[in-house]
Amino acid sequence: MSSADDNKVTLTIDGREVTVPRGMTVLEAAKSIGIEIPTFCWHPKLKPVGACRMCYVEIEKMPKLAVSCATEAMPGMVVHTDSDLVKQGRRAVLEFILLNHPLDCPTCDKGGECDLQDLTFAHGIDDSQFDFNKYRFIRDKKSTFDDYRLGPEIIRNQNRCILCYKCVRSNKEVFGEYDLGAFQRGNITEIDTGPGQQVDSIYSGNLVEICPVGALTNTDWRYNIRVWKTQKVNSICQYCADGCNLTLWKDRQKIYRATSRRNDAIDEGWICNRGRYGYQIANAEGRLTVPLIKRGERQENATWDEAIELIARRFKEIKDKKGGVCIGGLAYPGLDSASLYAFSKLFRTILNSNNVDFRIDYKMLPEEPGDLYTQITSRKFSIAGIENSDVVLVIGSNLINEHPITNLRVRKVVTQKGAKLYTLNPFATKSGDISTDEIIYRAGTVEALINGLCVSIVEQKLASDTVDASKLATRVEPNTVAQAAKISGVEADRIVGLAQALGEAKHITLITGELLSTSITRDAITAAIMNLALLCGMAENGQIGFLSKYANSKGAEKLGVMPLLSDSLIAEMKTLWGGYPEQKGLGADRMILSAKKEEIDALFVMGSDPMLCYPDGQFVREGIEKLDFLVVADLFETRTTQMADVVLPLSSIAEMSGDFVNLEGTVQHFDQAIKPLGQSMPGYDICNKIASALKEPLFESVARMQPDIMRLLLREENPEIQRELREVKTSVEQASGEYTVPLFVVDQAHHFAHLTERSKSLSAFCSEAHLELSPSMAEKLHAETGTLIRVESEVGKVILPVIISEHIDNDVAVVTRNFSANPVNDLQMRKQRVDYVRLTRVEEK
Amino acid sequence: MEKKVLFTYIDDPAQVKVETYVGHGGYTAWQKALKQMKPADVIDEVKKSGLRGRGGAGFPAGLKWSFVPKDSPKPRYLICNADESEPGTCKDRVLMEHDPHGVIEGMAIASYAIGSHLCFIYIRGEFGGPIRCMEQAVKEAYAKGYLGKNVFGTGYDLDMIVHTGGGAYICGEETALLNSLEGERGMSRIRPPFPAIEGLYACPTVVNNVETLASVPHIINNGAEWYTSMGTEKSAGTKIFSLSGHVNKPGNYELELGTPLSYLINDLGGGIKDGLKLKAVIPGGSSTPFLLPDQLDTKLDYESIAAAGSMLGSGGVIVLHEKTCIVWVIERLIHFYRHESCGKCTPCREGTGWLEQLISRIERGEGKPGDLEKIESICDNILGRTVCPLGDAAVMPIQSALKLFRDEWQYHIDNKRCLVKSEFAFA
Ligand SMILES: Cc1cc2nc3c(=O)[nH]c(=O)nc-3n(C[C@H](O)[C@H](O)[C@H](O)COP(=O)(O)O)c2cc1C
Ligand code: SF4
Ligand code: SF4
Ligand code: FES
């Protein structure tokens, strides 16, 4: 039987005929019909190297045993995977591998899930002809054991290594990291870091997971528990909107580790260290376990009944006296959908207030409902779909930090499929390393630059004919490439070059991140980007990803945890609830402002820490101080709980089941791993208790509420995007006086918002705020790594140690915000598009 | 018989200078190829000449060049393999030190034939002399316009980079060489893809040995017919043999292919040292099986040596006299191969280590009954089961030595010393 289809091949494996796509390996072809061939060095996401030789098969008419992982399936091949010769070959390979292997399974953390153990068992090797002493790698000469640290969380035992090279290969091929390599040659080859290097990238935990044996172990898991004593729980990562799928490994009330639960649509089996080690917050020290009530100056332990009674009484007083408009709510967008929904429902149906928001770390936001930005974020995006693009354009995002796993997909399409990456940022980032052009614009000028790109596309006659490009010149300012170049500080020929690449691209993925979403000029930038998208025909041939940040930002949007909603969403809520408050709601920024003006009296903060994260420290402090009544629910004591009248212990994500909506709009369910710690409660229970005490319960059970939630989450607005070029005027702020260095407050690579500093492993990578500077900036300040620098803005001052960046090469100050000991938001001003600072050395005495 | 083509001016110290080289008719072939021939004509001529790779495998050079895809939009690269590290082989070094422009001219013509504008010569890191010679010669060739932009006014650009290796035998294996050149660890790659399709930086690449390339200008100048008039029908031309070991006059000799081994050893090499008897010959570099004294009539060409059970390889002829303990010889070789295994594939990496342990204990007089069978079975589990031919190279001499001199091995185990009155070995 021969196949007419050129893209298919038909071959015979163990007597069974199978037809597979051309280009598939014999190993994969066998897998496709359920024939498992043993492997060590093969990995579904890495290029085959044919190193271990475990996957031998016999192919008729071929003189030697073939390695099936690296042999392409060819028409008419007759393959035997289980012949005597094949078995002999595999046994020989196993015997070779075991020659110098320590066989220390009883003390090896991999025991029970080790490929070598399993395959040795399967092949019945119980005797070796080897009668020499085994070779021993020992770093520490005092030890009998190789126990060598490759990075903050990874320990190497070279004796167990079978040299499959998967760690080194994935590190280079997938993560673009060159901190691990093979040294020496032959049978004394060892896996090690380069001189002076550490394996400390945000992807480094994957190297442990990919190791088929116990040669690489991580410090959280090793010596703590045997794998067969644990149970696996399906989970979803809570530390960014990528939504990687995780497995939590737990025994009774403790979680021991998190690993990837491969989902090819999203993570392809890789997770970043935040996802891998962030579970530790659940069992971390310092968790709040009982409610606290402020009595005098002190917060004292209280019962739930006391706390709820107090909250209900105060809320009722304020509502009765001044109306629900004087109560506001801030919810953390990393909460589960049920909690966010209950929060919104509590405010809207019980407190009669539309003052709810999840956008806790955004400066002054546009208050119009259904603004262009929100319209675009509500559209679908596909991480896997990035692979269809020949050009990826990243605007205003430190992608690797904000979305580590989306970043890997971009890397993949660029390094393996030949797509071109262009990045437009105010400072260079690691993601830009593989870009065709990494464009650095002067902080606060991005819309001018984008206008320039639009103009150039039209001038080069590359504009899509689905839009009337003739209007461009009258609608945007600047409207020449030369002016755009002048304002943005980007050379005109680079603007023209990028415009050409975009104009000629067949399929573009456009990604924007935090630098755009949190900007006070978000509307203008969005309009500029939409002009660009229309001119490049991205709506038809491409995808626009205004990536949301938190694990459930998208869910919060869909569930309406915002003050102003589209008419259709309001209508939906009215049907669900039978009513909806009349009064216009206030967003996060307005709530704090109103609190300052004493127009808002009470605030309920669920899971977020505005005192640390709101981008204007002074403003948020003044607002919160003016409140009559502050309720804060969180896992730990935070700068915000410290100011609260009532503190409620919140359960962690591991202590409940629920769902998140990732940046693509995909709803993903996670299961409960452990029981709520102490008296802590999930957010939805807290909201329900308050509602019950005030009037009536929000729901009988979460399960009963779930259909309503899903109805909102699965609602697709997909608003039609107007095919008209929009007005974009650029207003450029100038740095004033002595404060001249643009400031960027960002998440540290291993941290996310205010919770991760509680994870022991993540703290091992970084545990304090830093000031990241370009080498030349550091030199100007005579600063080295660790030098203390005074960072001052018009409104605040902090002292931070320096890190010299491997990427940044312009004069900017990048500061990390995840550490409660360093409230760097003191430097920021909510009305300022770009904050500027002055840097001086702290002179040691 | 001895025939000097590559070695015509080998004894002239001035040959390293571009002026002398040109005075001796140098760079005329390069000019002829560029100005009078199309790339396809060059490939055709080399194909017709029957020139085969001198790096070990003997693959027809013209045929290899013709595998480079004609329509690939990617750049192509030519690489001259000057990593020469096979024990017993030292011919490329002499060419580079004494006639560097011959190598450059060959590289230039081959580059033109495959459409390459950037070529590399990858020289073994320990080769201080050849590196300096090649660097100087490349500089002179640039100065004279034989390299660089618009060579001979034809519009053809050609750049040449002298790259020094990091010092590993495996880096002579062409795919490990590519990794090394790319800045990666020198480890072999699986094939396919073959370098001609996806080589350096995943672009079409041809890797040829120094001697192969140095032969090319002569073929272009004198024609394929002239070249096939030398040697045998299937092994055309001349080849340099590096004669070493127990002979009176070791050295590099250029012979017409098909010359009998005895002529090399006795007539040119002056016979066995100290008037002793011949024990065995390794004819093609350390990785080839032994020939015995009764095979001295074997002709030195690819087919005849293969028929005699060995390989022409790189032409490193190592002569052993009767006082050589074969266990000692093999112990030295396996030590080398264990040390040079790149560590990629299991059978070679682990197998060579185990073989070294077993063979050296026999050599030390600590061999155990059953060791020989163990060695044989390990060899069987390496041969043909590795990524690159280093694994095969390591076991072929062992298998040959066990077959031809089994009594000597057994004696070593039983009596804890050498059967022959060895001058070198333990005990
Ligand atoms: C372990 C090993 C080492 C090798 N070393 C060399 C070398 O040093 N020089 C060389 O030209 N070829 C060497 N080769 C052969 C090359 O892989 C390749 O076949 C050769 O360079 C091709 O050139 P040719 O066709 O001109 O012979 C080696 C092969 C192996 C397996
Ligand atoms: S450390 Fe693990 S993953 Fe790395 S080469 Fe060794 S066995 Fe393979
Ligand atoms: S045969 Fe030896 S040298 Fe070749 S790839 Fe395998 S380990 Fe490396
Ligand atoms: S799995 Fe095929 S060689 Fe390792």
Side-chain angles (χ1 to χ4, degrees):
Chain A
M1 192 186 80
S2 80
S3 157
D5 189 345
D6 266 1
N7 293 318
K8 296 246 186 294
V9 292
T10 300
L11 65 163
T12 310
I13 304 178
D14 292 346
R16 290 162 63 190
E17 205 163 77
V18 53
T19 303
V20 295
R22 187 171 285 279
M24 208 181 220
T25 61
V26 171
L27 180 89
E28 291 162 329
K31 246 185 207 311
S32 76
I33 50 169
I35 298 174
E36 286 296 327
I37 297 173
T39 63
F40 286 118
C41 70
W42 178 80
H43 187 277
K45 302 290 172 190
L46 300 179
K47 287 186 211 126
V49 291
C52 74
R53 321 302 281 181
M54 193 61 197
C55 66
Y56 286 136
V57 292
E58 212 178 332
I59 300 176
E60 288 182 12
K61 302 207 182 82
M62 285 200 187
K64 308 174 190 172
L65 287 175
V67 281
S68 58
C69 71
T71 305
E72 192 180 326
M74 289 294 178
M77 260 184 181
V78 181
V79 180
H80 302 280
T81 74
D82 208 26
S83 66
D84 288 345
L85 184 62
V86 167
K87 285 191 212 152
Q88 188 279 329
R90 286 181 194 154
R91 262 203 308 277
V93 167
L94 270 175
E95 183 177 27
F96 280 141
I97 289 179
L98 291 172
L99 290 183
N100 288 295
H101 190 87
L103 295 170
D104 57 347
C105 305
T107 55
C108 176
D109 286 292
K110 199 75 178 186
E113 52 173 358
C114 170
D115 289 357
L116 183 58
Q117 228 179 21
D118 295 348
L119 291 180
T120 306
F121 182 81
H123 287 78
I125 310 280
D126 53 4
D127 190 21
S128 172
Q129 308 179 64
F130 187 72
D131 56 359
F132 294 91
N133 290 334
K134 291 186 184 240
Y135 185 83
R136 282 287 153 267
F137 291 88
I138 292 175
R139 273 291 158 147
D140 176 2
K141 297 281 178 246
K142 284 176 292 196
S143 170
T144 55
F145 195 75
D146 190 54
D147 208 12
Y148 172 57
R149 200 173 272 266
L150 296 176
E153 290 301 296
I154 302 185
I155 309 286
R156 181 202 80 172
N157 181 330
Q158 185 62 36
N159 296 311
R160 295 180 186 148
C161 170
I162 61 166
L163 291 171
C164 69
Y165 300 99
K166 282 199 275 207
C167 51
V168 180
R169 286 155 57 207
S170 60
N171 210 34
K172 285 184 190 168
E173 254 175 70
V174 183
F175 313 128
E177 293 289 340
Y178 286 77
D179 48 22
L180 193 70
F183 294 80
Q184 308 289 351
R185 262 197 313 260
N187 63 349
I188 57 165
T189 302
E190 59 183 305
I191 302 298
D192 200 350
T193 59
Q197 285 183 315
Q198 281 217 58
V199 180
D200 57 3
S201 85
I202 56 166
Y203 302 116
S204 53
N206 291 302
L207 310 186
V208 175
E209 196 172 325
I210 207 173
C211 179
V213 295
L216 301 180
T217 47
N218 30 16
T219 50
D220 61 341
W221 174 259
R222 59 194 250 118
Y223 300 151
N224 279 333
I225 194 157
R226 309 272 15 186
V227 65
W228 54 86
K229 298 225 163 162
T230 58
Q231 293 96 53
K232 296 202 264 182
V233 180
N234 288 352
S235 192
I236 303 290
C237 178
Q238 56 175 317
Y239 298 112
C240 89
D242 284 346
C244 296
N245 293 196
L246 305 179
T247 300
L248 298 179
W249 303 68
K250 66 115 182 186
D251 177 37
R252 283 164 289 184
Q253 290 310 299
K254 190 164 164 17
I255 303 167
Y256 286 85
R257 71 173 172 189
T259 56
S260 163
R261 183 163 52 92
R262 179 175 146 199
N263 176 347
D264 280 346
I266 296 173
D267 53 53
E268 296 202 276
W270 316 115
I271 58 177
C272 81
N273 285 351
R274 301 198 299 241
R276 185 172 307 275
Y277 300 117
Y279 74 88
Q280 291 171 7
I281 66 164
N283 295 112
E285 260 173 47
R287 276 287 299 275
L288 295 169
T289 55
V290 293
L292 306 172
I293 291 178
K294 193 172 198 171
R295 299 199 165 98
E297 284 305 294
R298 290 189 41 207
Q299 292 173 339
E300 291 174 4
N301 289 0
T303 65
W304 269 104
D305 286 347
E306 286 169 328
I308 294 295
E309 189 274 328
L310 177 61
I311 295 167
R313 181 158 51 83
R314 297 299 313 272
F315 278 2
K316 188 165 182 330
E317 276 167 22
I318 294 166
K319 185 176 163 235
D320 290 350
K321 205 158 79 198
K322 301 172 75 175
V325 285
C326 293
I327 307 176
L330 297 177
Y332 179 62
L335 294 177
D336 57 301
S337 297
S339 297
L340 291 171
Y341 179 74
F343 189 79
S344 163
K345 191 170 177 190
L346 167 69
F347 272 83
R348 290 185 159 126
T349 66
I350 309 279
L351 297 171
N352 193 32
S353 167
N354 272 321
N355 300 338
V356 288
D357 210 347
F358 71 90
R359 296 163 299 178
I360 33 101
D361 46 8
Y362 289 21
K363 289 188 172 184
M364 299 168 69
L365 279 174
E367 299 265 322
E368 297 309 307
D371 63 296
L372 187 59
Y373 180 86
T374 315
Q375 276 181 39
I376 294 165
T377 45
S378 70
R379 295 169 66 86
K380 281 251 170 203
F381 179 79
S382 157
I383 294 176
I386 297 172
E387 292 191 31
N388 302 328
S389 294
D390 58 341
V391 169
V392 179
L393 175 64
V394 174
I395 305 181
S397 173
N398 183 355
L399 192 61
I400 187 171
N401 282 18
E402 291 174 33
H403 299 285
I405 298 303
T406 302
N407 181 62
L408 289 186
R409 200 70 78 136
V410 172
R411 270 197 72 81
K412 182 179 178 187
V413 66
V414 173
T415 59
Q416 294 179 27
K417 300 198 166 181
K420 288 191 170 128
L421 170 68
Y422 294 89
T423 58
L424 271 55
N425 276 317
F427 55 89
T429 66
K430 190 167 185 161
S431 304
D433 284 357
I434 52 164
S435 60
T436 302
D437 197 3
E438 177 168 40
I439 292 179
I440 308 302
Y441 56 80
R442 191 175 294 137
T445 66
V446 65
E447 64 274 29
L449 173 60
I450 299 170
N451 286 351
L453 287 169
C454 292
V455 170
S456 178
I457 287 175
V458 174
E459 281 175 0
Q460 296 183 58
K461 305 210 164 29
L462 292 169
S464 157
D465 52 16
T466 59
V467 57
D468 178 4
S470 63
K471 306 238 172 69
L472 184 72
T474 57
R475 298 208 171 153
V476 302
E477 220 176 85
N479 60 7
T480 65
V481 173
Q483 282 171 319
K486 188 149 176 279
I487 295 170
S488 63
V490 177
E491 297 87 332
D493 57 343
R494 290 170 80 183
I495 298 180
V496 174
L498 172 54
Q500 183 182 355
L502 292 173
E504 289 171 354
K506 293 193 187 69
H507 188 284
I508 301 176
T509 290
L510 184 150
I511 288 173
T512 72
E514 234 187 326
L515 290 167
L516 165 63
S517 63
T518 62
S519 170
I520 60 173
T521 43
R522 186 166 98 170
D523 277 351
I525 307 173
T526 305
I529 288 179
M530 282 318 294
N531 286 350
L532 182 66
L534 289 175
L535 290 168
C536 299
M538 273 183 234
E540 303 82 39
N541 291 310
Q543 55 172 351
I544 306 168
F546 281 19
L547 304 189
S548 54
K549 175 167 176 172
Y550 289 84
N552 209 13
S553 298
K554 203 112 189 182
E557 263 165 35
K558 295 204 165 215
L559 296 165
V561 189
M562 288 182 291
L564 302 165
L565 306 179
S566 66
D567 292 342
S568 65
L569 187 51
I570 292 175
E572 197 77 35
M573 297 199 162
K574 281 186 178 156
T575 7
L576 283 173
W577 300 335
Y580 188 83
E582 291 292 315
Q583 239 118 358
K584 238 178 128 179
L586 304 175
D589 179 74
R590 283 304 180 92
M591 280 187 239
I592 300 168
L593 184 66
S594 303
K596 229 173 120 173
K597 297 196 211 146
E598 306 196 29
E599 288 163 14
I600 279 213
D601 298 322
L603 203 57
F604 176 21
V605 179
M606 191 162 79
S608 61
D609 187 6
M611 287 291 291
L612 183 68
C613 298
Y614 188 80
D616 189 330
Q618 192 180 342
F619 172 73
V620 71
R621 188 163 48 248
E622 285 172 8
I624 288 181
E625 274 168 356
K626 286 275 172 64
L627 288 168
D628 287 341
F629 189 57
L630 174 65
V631 182
V632 184
D634 213 321
L635 274 70
F636 299 94
E637 180 181 339
T638 66
R639 297 185 85 85
T640 309
T641 66
Q642 284 166 2
M643 303 184 71
D645 298 288
V646 182
V647 178
L648 302 173
L650 190 64
S651 296
S652 78
I653 291 302
E655 291 150 43
M656 65 183 92
S657 66
D659 59 65
F660 291 142
V661 185
N662 84 341
L663 55 78
E664 304 173 299
T666 307
V667 182
Q668 300 196 94
H669 181 81
F670 54 86
D671 285 331
Q672 178 174 3
I674 54 177
K675 288 201 293 246
L677 193 88
Q679 295 178 23
S680 73
M681 276 186 205
Y684 49 79
D685 277 339
I686 295 176
C687 294
N688 203 30
K689 265 183 179 298
I690 298 174
S692 306
L694 277 164
K695 189 171 160 198
E696 61 190 20
L698 300 168
F699 54 85
E700 278 172 52
S701 70
V702 187
R704 287 272 181 100
M705 185 169 61
Q706 196 59 19
D708 296 354
I709 296 176
M710 288 313 286
R711 177 162 159 181
L712 295 180
L713 293 183
L714 297 179
R715 233 176 116 250
E716 282 202 25
E717 289 205 12
N718 254 345
E720 229 352 89
I721 294 186
Q722 218 191 322
R723 286 184 185 271
E724 273 283 305
L725 293 178
R726 292 171 172 80
E727 295 244 335
V728 184
K729 304 276 182 263
T730 309
S731 56
V732 179
E733 284 173 4
Q734 290 302 332
S736 62
E738 342 155 38
Y739 306 102
T740 54
V741 182
L743 169 77
F744 295 93
V745 175
V746 301
D747 282 313
Q748 204 278 336
H750 273 93
H751 289 275
F752 187 80
H754 69 294
L755 289 174
T756 49
E757 65 172 323
R758 304 286 179 163
S759 153
K760 203 169 145 212
S761 295
L762 293 177
S763 294
F765 288 92
C766 178
S767 61
E768 59 173 353
H770 287 99
L771 165 67
E772 203 178 339
L773 296 176
S774 67
S776 67
M777 191 78 189
E779 204 179 303
K780 274 187 236 166
L781 291 163
H782 303 290
E784 292 161 11
T785 296
T787 306
L788 291 179
I789 297 289
R790 193 182 295 108
V791 187
E792 288 169 281
S793 73
E794 237 172 275
V795 289
K797 175 179 96 174
V798 292
I799 290 176
L800 296 172
V802 164
I803 283 187
I804 297 178
S805 172
E806 290 172 28
H807 304 278
I808 303 174
D809 58 0
N810 56 346
D811 289 357
V812 293
V814 177
V815 157
T816 46
R817 64 165 199 165
N818 312 89
F819 306 94
S820 50
N822 309 91
V824 295
N825 59 346
D826 280 353
L827 298 168
Q828 294 172 284
M829 281 183 281
R830 59 188 268 277
K831 287 190 176 168
Q832 196 95 25
R833 174 175 185 177
V834 180
D835 292 297
Y836 292 93
V837 290
R838 173 174 69 190
L839 306 175
T840 46
R841 231 181 114 110
V842 178
E843 293 305 334
E844 56 271 32
K845 296 218 175 76
Chain B
M1 299 303 112
E2 193 170 19
K3 170 97 193 171
K4 290 192 174 175
V5 175
L6 297 166
F7 274 1
T8 314
Y9 300 103
I10 208 74
D11 296 325
D12 180 353
Q15 179 74 0
V16 297
K17 301 237 118 301
V18 69
E19 292 79 11
T20 319
Y21 181 72
V22 170
H24 288 149
Y27 288 117
T28 48
W30 179 211
Q31 184 160 4
K32 177 175 171 191
L34 259 189
K35 289 195 165 165
Q36 298 167 26
M37 298 169 82
K38 291 203 208 53
D41 301 337
V42 178
I43 294 181
D44 258 5
E45 197 66 24
V46 173
K47 264 191 191 165
K48 274 192 264 164
S49 78
L51 174 66
R52 293 171 65 167
R54 306 296 192 220
F59 194 83
L63 188 60
K64 190 190 279 189
W65 299 357
S66 70
F67 292 154
V68 172
K70 307 272 168 305
D71 47 2
S72 168
K74 294 179 180 176
R76 304 103 195 268
Y77 301 107
L78 177 102
I79 297 169
C80 174
N81 186 346
D83 194 55
E84 190 168 61
S85 322
E86 173 105 339
T89 312
C90 51
K91 62 195 177 63
D92 299 340
R93 159 180 207 140
V94 175
L95 289 173
M96 290 187 282
E97 275 180 335
H98 296 274
D99 199 2
H101 289 286
V103 180
I104 295 173
E105 188 172 6
M107 287 171 68
I109 297 167
S111 296
Y112 173 69
I114 62 164
S116 166
H117 297 281
L118 177 59
C119 59
F120 299 83
I121 176 164
Y122 183 101
I123 310 181
R124 175 177 178 181
E126 293 91 338
F127 270 5
I131 291 166
R132 280 190 296 277
C133 282
M134 287 307 302
E135 279 175 346
Q136 178 60 29
V138 167
K139 214 189 282 171
E140 290 176 14
Y142 265 105
K144 293 280 178 196
Y146 300 132
L147 294 174
K149 293 258 173 287
N150 191 16
V151 181
F152 298 125
T154 57
Y156 199 83
D157 301 339
L158 180 63
D159 282 305
M160 186 176 289
I161 291 174
V162 178
H163 182 94
T164 52
Y169 170 57
I170 191 62
C171 290
E173 192 285 319
E174 57 184 9
T175 59
L177 184 153
L178 296 174
N179 274 343
S180 170
L181 200 52
E182 287 179 11
E184 295 285 334
R185 176 179 162 90
M187 289 212 277
S188 312
R189 300 177 182 171
I190 40 170
R191 274 156 291 210
F194 287 90
I197 312 296
E198 264 183 46
L200 190 65
Y201 307 116
C203 297
T205 304
V206 165
V207 182
N208 271 132
N209 172 255
V210 173
E211 186 186 351
T212 316
L213 290 168
S215 305
V216 171
H218 301 280
I219 294 170
I220 295 302
N221 269 338
N222 304 317
E225 240 172 78
W226 162 82
Y227 200 71
T228 51
S229 73
M230 299 178 290
T232 70
E233 194 195 329
K234 287 189 174 157
S235 301
T238 65
K239 161 109 195 66
I240 304 168
F241 290 89
S242 308
L243 183 65
S244 68
H246 303 142
V247 287
N248 285 313
K249 288 197 273 171
N252 284 303
Y253 298 98
E254 185 175 7
L255 306 181
E256 252 185 85
L257 283 163
T259 305
L261 180 58
S262 58
Y263 179 81
L264 176 66
I265 294 177
N266 295 327
D267 299 37
L268 297 172
I272 310 301
K273 254 173 104 176
D274 305 331
L276 292 170
K277 275 204 252 147
L278 176 68
K279 174 169 185 155
V281 181
I282 301 177
S286 63
S287 48
T288 55
F290 296 87
L291 296 180
L292 294 177
D294 61 5
Q295 292 174 299
L296 266 190
D297 296 338
T298 307
K299 293 205 170 89
L300 293 172
D301 59 71
Y302 295 97
E303 289 68 32
S304 307
I305 300 190
S310 188
M311 291 185 299
L312 182 80
S314 56
V317 179
I318 305 170
V319 178
L320 307 172
H321 68 35
E322 56 185 327
K323 284 193 178 176
T324 322
C325 170
I326 205 75
V327 179
W328 175 78
V329 170
I330 294 296
E331 193 265 345
R332 294 288 75 212
L333 288 182
I334 191 61
H335 174 72
F336 172 80
Y337 286 107
R338 199 276 302 153
H339 186 253
E340 298 299 336
S341 164
C342 81
K344 177 169 180 168
C345 66
T346 308
C348 167
R349 179 184 72 233
E350 302 299 334
T352 53
W354 193 3
L355 283 172
E356 188 196 18
Q357 284 176 303
L358 285 167
I359 291 167
S360 65
R361 92 170 164 204
I362 298 174
E363 166 64 11
R364 282 197 311 272
E366 295 164 11
K368 295 184 186 168
D371 277 1
L372 298 184
E373 292 70 25
K374 244 188 235 182
I375 292 172
E376 279 170 331
S377 96
I378 297 169
C379 288
D380 287 343
N381 288 331
I382 298 176
L383 192 75
R385 298 200 180 164
T386 54
V387 173
C388 84
L390 189 144
D392 297 347
V395 302
M396 283 188 300
I398 301 177
Q399 288 181 321
S400 162
L402 273 172
K403 193 168 117 215
L404 301 175
F405 304 101
R406 199 171 179 97
D407 50 340
E408 238 181 274
W409 291 85
Q410 198 57 53
Y411 189 90
H412 234 288
I413 295 177
D414 296 344
N415 300 289
K416 315 213 173 303
R417 59 189 169 84
C418 307
L419 174 64
V420 296
K421 280 209 182 55
S422 173
E423 291 180 357
F424 315 99
F426 165 90

